[in-house]
Amino acid sequence: MVLMNDFKRQWEDCRTEVAAAIDAVGSSGWYILGGEVERFEQALAEYWGLGHAVGVANGMDALEIGLRCLGLRPGDKVLTTPLTAFATTLAIMRAGGFPLFLDVDANGQIDIDRCRQALRGDPSIRMLLPVHLFGLATTLPALRELAGEFDIWVLEDCAQSIGAADGQMRAGCVGTIAATSFYPTKNLGALGDGGALLTNNTEIAWQARRLRNYGQSSQYVHDELGLNSRLDELHAAVLRRAFLPRLPRWTDRRRAIAEAYLGGIRSRHVQLLEVQSRSQAVWHLFPVLVPPQRRDAFRAFLKDGGVASGIHYPTLVPDQAAMPAGRFSIIGELTKARQFAASEVSLPIHPYLSDAEVEQVVAACNRWTG
Ligand SMILES: *Cc1c(COP(=O)(O)O)cnc(C)c1O
């Protein structure tokens, strides 16, 4: 079976460095907020080309802490996308924000023109939380223009887009804060949960450091109500010593696989996304679109051909049962988002796929006759 992720192969490749990282932390006798977290934060900030990285417990907390650092007050409106991991919206709501959902573009990314209309129509909207879904980062130039037009804070959800770029612009460099996740399936995944915020703003970095640690400004001094959301020394050590050095190679491999899919999949019943800057996407996922009424059959056909697949995402966030009526709203119709949610299938694209497996995926898609 061609898997969506293959952690066993990753372990075979990385075990020596991971074991050394664990040994280094164990023998240091220091497990929370020490040198490993600091050194990983420095390495990550350097990789990303931003001034500061702050390690936290997971990607959702990175978003929540980020919104609080931007001064989000209870009831503040936050423009965001309905087509994303539920955690994006959950972070807004946990921070006390009021999510406003807008439709997406043809690639499933938040529609920047609709954002502009919404911001023109309601000057009380001060925050924008776009998601660079699938690792594409296609909205960056338009996002920068938008951020220049309005007096708004932008927080970029880069959980799926570490290392993605569009021209000279890198995902996470338009907003005041970028948030990312080290959930194991992410492009830079830990052996468990983890996340980080990145920013060029020194004061925000310090506030994030306080908020992740009970809101403590110095030992036993609490000036605000924070979280317990620290990145462990163990995860930081594994990330910096074993996984971050492999990230450029992993990203290259994802890009090579994406090129093979884009060039090789020719079934007219399987629609590829039209991504202009596709060479700079990091392809966290590889989405294709099929007619909604044939999606289950297509996935069963792939499975018969030994190919696993996923759906990202089957249900829009505002349609989830947990969303409390009156605590969010939808601006306009979510036509494209609904169409995308009903049509999307994710093909395997992890960095440990062999060439033969990539060919197997292409062949299975090309055998599909709709
Ligand atoms: C994974 C993910 C998150 C949440 O990250 P966690 O580390 O699981 O909390 C948020 N947003 C997006 C787009 C994600 O893919």
Side-chain angles (χ1 to χ4, degrees), residues 79 102-105 110-120 146 331-336:
L79 270 187
L102 287 166
D103 208 2
V104 299
D105 65 18
I110 195 167
D111 186 322
I112 301 292
D113 290 330
R114 280 176 189 258
C115 289
R116 180 173 287 108
Q117 285 167 18
L119 289 164
R120 284 199 182 127
L146 186 77
I331 304 181
E333 300 291 326
L334 303 180
T335 315
K336 283 189 186 150

mmCIF file of all heavy atoms in Angstrom, residues 79 102-105 110-120 146 331-336:
data_model
loop_
_atom_site.group_PDB
_atom_site.id
_atom_site.type_symbol
_atom_site.label_atom_id
_atom_site.label_comp_id
_atom_site.label_asym_id
_atom_site.label_seq_id
_atom_site.Cartn_x
_atom_site.Cartn_y
_atom_site.Cartn_z
ATOM 1 N N LEU A 79 -11.345 37.729 10.275
ATOM 2 C CA LEU A 79 -11.656 37.170 8.953
ATOM 3 C C LEU A 79 -10.829 35.923 8.739
ATOM 4 O O LEU A 79 -9.609 35.938 8.942
ATOM 5 C CB LEU A 79 -11.244 38.166 7.858
ATOM 6 C CG LEU A 79 -12.197 39.212 7.344
ATOM 7 C CD1 LEU A 79 -11.540 39.903 6.148
ATOM 8 C CD2 LEU A 79 -13.531 38.629 6.958
ATOM 9 N N LEU A 102 -15.271 33.511 4.896
ATOM 10 C CA LEU A 102 -15.410 33.970 3.514
ATOM 11 C C LEU A 102 -15.147 32.815 2.568
ATOM 12 O O LEU A 102 -14.476 31.860 2.937
ATOM 13 C CB LEU A 102 -14.314 34.990 3.222
ATOM 14 C CG LEU A 102 -14.401 36.356 3.820
ATOM 15 C CD1 LEU A 102 -13.050 37.012 3.646
ATOM 16 C CD2 LEU A 102 -15.455 37.146 3.089
ATOM 17 N N ASP A 103 -15.554 32.972 1.332
ATOM 18 C CA ASP A 103 -15.325 31.902 0.354
ATOM 19 C C ASP A 103 -13.836 31.814 -0.026
ATOM 20 O O ASP A 103 -13.048 32.714 0.278
ATOM 21 C CB ASP A 103 -16.176 32.136 -0.902
ATOM 22 C CG ASP A 103 -16.515 30.826 -1.616
ATOM 23 O OD1 ASP A 103 -16.119 29.751 -1.124
ATOM 24 O OD2 ASP A 103 -17.191 30.890 -2.663
ATOM 25 N N VAL A 104 -13.488 30.714 -0.683
ATOM 26 C CA VAL A 104 -12.102 30.478 -1.102
ATOM 27 C C VAL A 104 -11.972 30.667 -2.609
ATOM 28 O O VAL A 104 -12.966 30.804 -3.320
ATOM 29 C CB VAL A 104 -11.649 29.044 -0.718
ATOM 30 C CG1 VAL A 104 -11.718 28.852 0.788
ATOM 31 C CG2 VAL A 104 -12.474 27.971 -1.449
ATOM 32 N N ASP A 105 -10.708 30.660 -3.094
ATOM 33 C CA ASP A 105 -10.464 30.774 -4.534
ATOM 34 C C ASP A 105 -10.398 29.366 -5.159
ATOM 35 O O ASP A 105 -10.661 28.362 -4.486
ATOM 36 C CB ASP A 105 -9.194 31.605 -4.806
ATOM 37 C CG ASP A 105 -7.920 30.931 -4.298
ATOM 38 O OD1 ASP A 105 -7.930 29.701 -4.049
ATOM 39 O OD2 ASP A 105 -6.905 31.633 -4.154
ATOM 40 N N ILE A 110 -8.080 31.251 0.918
ATOM 41 C CA ILE A 110 -9.000 32.348 1.201
ATOM 42 C C ILE A 110 -8.987 33.350 0.033
ATOM 43 O O ILE A 110 -7.935 33.656 -0.526
ATOM 44 C CB ILE A 110 -8.655 33.029 2.549
ATOM 45 C CG1 ILE A 110 -9.801 33.914 3.026
ATOM 46 C CG2 ILE A 110 -7.361 33.836 2.452
ATOM 47 C CD1 ILE A 110 -9.667 34.369 4.479
ATOM 48 N N ASP A 111 -10.177 33.803 -0.358
ATOM 49 C CA ASP A 111 -10.322 34.691 -1.509
ATOM 50 C C ASP A 111 -9.997 36.126 -1.093
ATOM 51 O O ASP A 111 -10.755 36.746 -0.349
ATOM 52 C CB ASP A 111 -11.766 34.576 -2.031
ATOM 53 C CG ASP A 111 -11.980 35.345 -3.322
ATOM 54 O OD1 ASP A 111 -11.410 36.457 -3.462
ATOM 55 O OD2 ASP A 111 -12.721 34.852 -4.182
ATOM 56 N N ILE A 112 -8.882 36.632 -1.599
ATOM 57 C CA ILE A 112 -8.386 37.940 -1.141
ATOM 58 C C ILE A 112 -9.322 39.075 -1.580
ATOM 59 O O ILE A 112 -9.513 40.048 -0.849
ATOM 60 C CB ILE A 112 -6.951 38.192 -1.660
ATOM 61 C CG1 ILE A 112 -6.008 37.080 -1.163
ATOM 62 C CG2 ILE A 112 -6.442 39.568 -1.231
ATOM 63 C CD1 ILE A 112 -5.741 37.065 0.319
ATOM 64 N N ASP A 113 -9.923 38.959 -2.764
ATOM 65 C CA ASP A 113 -10.851 40.011 -3.206
ATOM 66 C C ASP A 113 -12.065 40.091 -2.280
ATOM 67 O O ASP A 113 -12.544 41.184 -1.964
ATOM 68 C CB ASP A 113 -11.302 39.765 -4.645
ATOM 69 C CG ASP A 113 -10.172 40.003 -5.633
ATOM 70 O OD1 ASP A 113 -9.305 40.850 -5.328
ATOM 71 O OD2 ASP A 113 -10.144 39.340 -6.688
ATOM 72 N N ARG A 114 -12.522 38.937 -1.855
ATOM 73 C CA ARG A 114 -13.645 38.943 -0.911
ATOM 74 C C ARG A 114 -13.221 39.515 0.445
ATOM 75 O O ARG A 114 -14.010 40.172 1.120
ATOM 76 C CB ARG A 114 -14.199 37.534 -0.723
ATOM 77 C CG ARG A 114 -15.109 37.150 -1.865
ATOM 78 C CD ARG A 114 -15.565 35.735 -1.727
ATOM 79 N NE ARG A 114 -16.267 35.325 -2.931
ATOM 80 C CZ ARG A 114 -17.590 35.249 -3.018
ATOM 81 N NH1 ARG A 114 -18.348 35.524 -1.988
ATOM 82 N NH2 ARG A 114 -18.160 34.882 -4.147
ATOM 83 N N CYS A 115 -11.985 39.267 0.820
ATOM 84 C CA CYS A 115 -11.468 39.876 2.061
ATOM 85 C C CYS A 115 -11.514 41.401 1.932
ATOM 86 O O CYS A 115 -11.930 42.106 2.855
ATOM 87 C CB CYS A 115 -10.018 39.457 2.321
ATOM 88 S SG CYS A 115 -9.820 37.742 2.810
ATOM 89 N N ARG A 116 -11.094 41.885 0.762
ATOM 90 C CA ARG A 116 -11.072 43.335 0.537
ATOM 91 C C ARG A 116 -12.490 43.914 0.650
ATOM 92 O O ARG A 116 -12.706 44.921 1.332
ATOM 93 C CB ARG A 116 -10.476 43.633 -0.843
ATOM 94 C CG ARG A 116 -10.400 45.113 -1.179
ATOM 95 C CD ARG A 116 -9.657 45.365 -2.471
ATOM 96 N NE ARG A 116 -8.224 45.164 -2.323
ATOM 97 C CZ ARG A 116 -7.546 44.127 -2.836
ATOM 98 N NH1 ARG A 116 -8.165 43.221 -3.567
ATOM 99 N NH2 ARG A 116 -6.248 44.021 -2.642
ATOM 100 N N GLN A 117 -13.444 43.259 -0.001
ATOM 101 C CA GLN A 117 -14.843 43.729 0.083
ATOM 102 C C GLN A 117 -15.317 43.747 1.534
ATOM 103 O O GLN A 117 -15.948 44.704 1.985
ATOM 104 C CB GLN A 117 -15.762 42.794 -0.708
ATOM 105 C CG GLN A 117 -15.669 42.961 -2.211
ATOM 106 C CD GLN A 117 -16.372 41.798 -2.948
ATOM 107 O OE1 GLN A 117 -17.186 41.084 -2.363
ATOM 108 N NE2 GLN A 117 -16.041 41.625 -4.217
ATOM 109 N N ALA A 118 -14.993 42.702 2.267
ATOM 110 C CA ALA A 118 -15.445 42.611 3.655
ATOM 111 C C ALA A 118 -14.819 43.715 4.498
ATOM 112 O O ALA A 118 -15.487 44.346 5.330
ATOM 113 C CB ALA A 118 -15.093 41.244 4.230
ATOM 114 N N LEU A 119 -13.540 43.990 4.266
ATOM 115 C CA LEU A 119 -12.845 45.015 5.047
ATOM 116 C C LEU A 119 -13.366 46.407 4.702
ATOM 117 O O LEU A 119 -13.472 47.271 5.570
ATOM 118 C CB LEU A 119 -11.336 44.927 4.808
ATOM 119 C CG LEU A 119 -10.660 43.689 5.427
ATOM 120 C CD1 LEU A 119 -9.277 43.454 4.828
ATOM 121 C CD2 LEU A 119 -10.563 43.828 6.944
ATOM 122 N N ARG A 120 -13.700 46.625 3.410
ATOM 123 C CA ARG A 120 -14.294 47.906 3.014
ATOM 124 C C ARG A 120 -15.653 48.078 3.663
ATOM 125 O O ARG A 120 -16.021 49.179 4.084
ATOM 126 C CB ARG A 120 -14.449 47.966 1.479
ATOM 127 C CG ARG A 120 -13.139 48.227 0.786
ATOM 128 C CD ARG A 120 -13.358 48.750 -0.638
ATOM 129 N NE ARG A 120 -12.056 48.936 -1.269
ATOM 130 C CZ ARG A 120 -11.702 48.429 -2.447
ATOM 131 N NH1 ARG A 120 -12.583 47.749 -3.163
ATOM 132 N NH2 ARG A 120 -10.513 48.631 -2.938
ATOM 133 N N LEU A 146 -3.124 43.715 0.218
ATOM 134 C CA LEU A 146 -4.285 43.899 1.090
ATOM 135 C C LEU A 146 -3.857 44.452 2.452
ATOM 136 O O LEU A 146 -4.469 45.386 2.986
ATOM 137 C CB LEU A 146 -5.005 42.554 1.269
ATOM 138 C CG LEU A 146 -6.313 42.582 2.044
ATOM 139 C CD1 LEU A 146 -7.428 43.133 1.155
ATOM 140 C CD2 LEU A 146 -6.688 41.185 2.531
ATOM 141 N N ILE A 331 -19.856 35.540 5.570
ATOM 142 C CA ILE A 331 -20.056 36.692 4.691
ATOM 143 C C ILE A 331 -20.224 36.182 3.269
ATOM 144 O O ILE A 331 -19.308 35.585 2.714
ATOM 145 C CB ILE A 331 -18.862 37.659 4.775
ATOM 146 C CG1 ILE A 331 -18.623 38.086 6.237
ATOM 147 C CG2 ILE A 331 -19.101 38.880 3.898
ATOM 148 C CD1 ILE A 331 -17.483 39.064 6.408
ATOM 149 N N GLY A 332 -21.381 36.415 2.695
ATOM 150 C CA GLY A 332 -21.656 35.956 1.331
ATOM 151 C C GLY A 332 -21.875 34.451 1.293
ATOM 152 O O GLY A 332 -22.106 33.814 2.314
ATOM 153 N N GLU A 333 -21.790 33.911 0.093
ATOM 154 C CA GLU A 333 -21.974 32.469 -0.079
ATOM 155 C C GLU A 333 -20.616 31.775 -0.019
ATOM 156 O O GLU A 333 -19.609 32.343 -0.420
ATOM 157 C CB GLU A 333 -22.611 32.182 -1.448
ATOM 158 C CG GLU A 333 -23.973 32.815 -1.650
ATOM 159 C CD GLU A 333 -25.041 32.167 -0.770
ATOM 160 O OE1 GLU A 333 -24.938 30.951 -0.535
ATOM 161 O OE2 GLU A 333 -25.957 32.878 -0.315
ATOM 162 N N LEU A 334 -20.620 30.523 0.455
ATOM 163 C CA LEU A 334 -19.381 29.744 0.485
ATOM 164 C C LEU A 334 -19.390 28.709 -0.652
ATOM 165 O O LEU A 334 -19.005 27.557 -0.471
ATOM 166 C CB LEU A 334 -19.223 29.060 1.843
ATOM 167 C CG LEU A 334 -19.226 29.992 3.066
ATOM 168 C CD1 LEU A 334 -19.058 29.187 4.356
ATOM 169 C CD2 LEU A 334 -18.125 31.049 2.958
ATOM 170 N N THR A 335 -19.799 29.167 -1.824
ATOM 171 C CA THR A 335 -20.031 28.245 -2.946
ATOM 172 C C THR A 335 -18.785 27.441 -3.314
ATOM 173 O O THR A 335 -18.829 26.217 -3.421
ATOM 174 C CB THR A 335 -20.502 29.042 -4.182
ATOM 175 O OG1 THR A 335 -21.497 29.973 -3.743
ATOM 176 C CG2 THR A 335 -21.076 28.134 -5.247
ATOM 177 N N LYS A 336 -17.672 28.157 -3.521
ATOM 178 C CA LYS A 336 -16.458 27.457 -3.955
ATOM 179 C C LYS A 336 -15.918 26.556 -2.855
ATOM 180 O O LYS A 336 -15.428 25.460 -3.122
ATOM 181 C CB LYS A 336 -15.394 28.470 -4.378
ATOM 182 C CG LYS A 336 -15.661 29.063 -5.731
ATOM 183 C CD LYS A 336 -14.481 29.890 -6.200
ATOM 184 C CE LYS A 336 -14.800 30.601 -7.500
ATOM 185 N NZ LYS A 336 -14.073 31.877 -7.615
#
